[in-house]
Amino acid sequence: SQELEQSPQSLIVQEGKNLTINCTSSKTLYGLYWYKQKYGEGLIFLMMLQKGGEEKSHEKITAKLDEKKQQSSLHITASQPSHAGIYLCGADIVGYGNKLVFGAGTILRVKS
Amino acid sequence: EPEVTQTPSHQVTQMGQEVILRCVPISNHLYFYWYRQILGQKVEFLVSFYNNEISEKSEIFDDQFSAERPDGSNFTLKIRSTKLEDSAMYFCASRRQGSNIQYFGAGTRLSVL
């Protein structure tokens, strides 16, 4: 399914650099969730965004949801090796029940 | 910090066999979910569970699959007559009433040979 598109597919950044990952839905969202997954492991919840225009930060990670509630971005400032992993956006989509629909993920590598 | 626990972490089975994947959700959570992730693909919803009953299931969740809560703490996913294409990571998730955040377990890697 193509309900959620994530970009880029993969990203290699030098330690200390900033980066942005995007997640776009063709449909209106009830909520947008960012998770981090280490290869072959579980999903770790990072942030939830529910209101149009909402922005949340935790340590060096900031996530935003646009006013129309169809696009979100995840921004990492001054990346560190500990930020490496797979970032997944998941969404409650209007009319899709209470399940989460996920994007394909963005693989982030941070070079020291 | 409470967490969702899944067992086993890795299950190897022969094609045609039945497997049961187990999950212990966070203790005060009432909504439970199973998802799967085939290698290299998206995480896909299988089934959701509330009040000891299935509340929603996907097209993937056909007669080969069943989910139940056999006791007050465990939540299971049974796959009958496994096929090669059932090989995947299976994730359990739970959330509490009044919150939309789903917390995921570490997953069970199912390998069907």
Side-chain angles (χ1 to χ4, degrees):
Chain A
S1 65
Q2 299 298 320
E3 290 92 351
L4 281 187
E5 295 283 342
Q6 243 184 279
S7 63
Q9 273 189 312
S10 63
L11 201 49
I12 303 173
V13 299
Q14 192 68 40
E15 183 177 357
K17 296 295 186 186
N18 303 337
L19 63 107
T20 299
I21 299 168
N22 295 298
C23 181
T24 301
S25 172
S26 56
K27 304 181 192 304
T28 302
L29 308 175
Y30 279 128
L32 191 288
Y33 308 80
W34 284 100
Y35 290 87
K36 181 182 176 185
Q37 183 183 27
K38 291 194 175 177
Y39 184 75
E41 297 183 11
L43 282 65
I44 299 166
F45 170 74
L46 296 176
M47 270 177 275
M48 172 182 70
L49 303 162
Q50 290 191 297
K51 299 176 186 172
E54 187 174 11
E55 179 175 322
K56 286 188 177 175
S57 292
H58 177 69
E59 297 180 344
K60 296 190 176 184
I61 301 176
T62 300
K64 302 179 187 178
L65 182 63
D66 74 336
E67 290 288 343
K68 288 170 61 178
K69 294 176 66 174
Q70 287 188 252
Q71 187 164 30
S72 178
S73 61
L74 185 86
H75 184 77
I76 299 177
T77 304
S79 57
Q80 301 166 357
S82 60
H83 288 128
I86 304 169
Y87 289 82
L88 296 169
C89 63
D92 273 322
I93 300 179
V94 174
Y96 276 53
N98 73 344
K99 61 179 177 287
L100 290 181
V101 174
F102 284 90
T106 296
I107 302 170
L108 172 64
R109 282 184 52 199
V110 180
K111 294 194 299 184
S112 315
Chain B
E1 185 176 323
E3 58 183 26
V4 177
T5 305
Q6 288 187 246
T7 55
S9 57
H10 190 191
Q11 175 86 51
V12 181
T13 190
Q14 294 293 322
M15 195 167 54
Q17 296 297 304
E18 175 181 286
V19 295
I20 298 177
L21 311 183
R22 291 182 166 80
C23 170
V24 179
I26 295 174
S27 64
N28 62 343
H29 288 194
L30 298 178
Y31 297 85
F32 314 123
Y33 305 82
W34 284 104
Y35 293 82
R36 78 173 183 189
Q37 185 179 33
I38 295 171
L39 186 64
Q41 297 186 22
K42 293 183 179 182
V43 176
E44 305 172 286
F45 167 77
L46 292 177
V47 65
S48 60
F49 213 81
Y50 172 70
N51 207 21
N52 294 330
E53 288 186 357
I54 289 175
S55 52
E56 188 177 351
K57 55 185 180 180
S58 72
E59 292 175 354
I60 303 168
F61 196 87
D62 59 19
D63 292 343
Q64 187 195 2
F65 293 87
S66 61
E68 60 178 21
R69 199 170 182 210
D71 56 43
S73 58
N74 287 295
F75 179 43
T76 63
L77 178 71
K78 183 187 291 185
I79 309 174
R80 288 178 280 274
S81 190
T82 50
K83 299 177 272 196
L84 295 177
E85 53 265 37
D86 294 326
S87 295
M89 280 287 280
Y90 287 82
F91 294 108
C92 172
S94 70
R95 70 176 174 95
R96 63 174 175 80
Q97 187 113 19
S99 170
N100 292 326
I101 300 171
Q102 295 183 26
Y103 292 93
F104 284 74
T108 292
R109 179 175 300 282
L110 176 64
S111 300
V112 182
L113 306 177

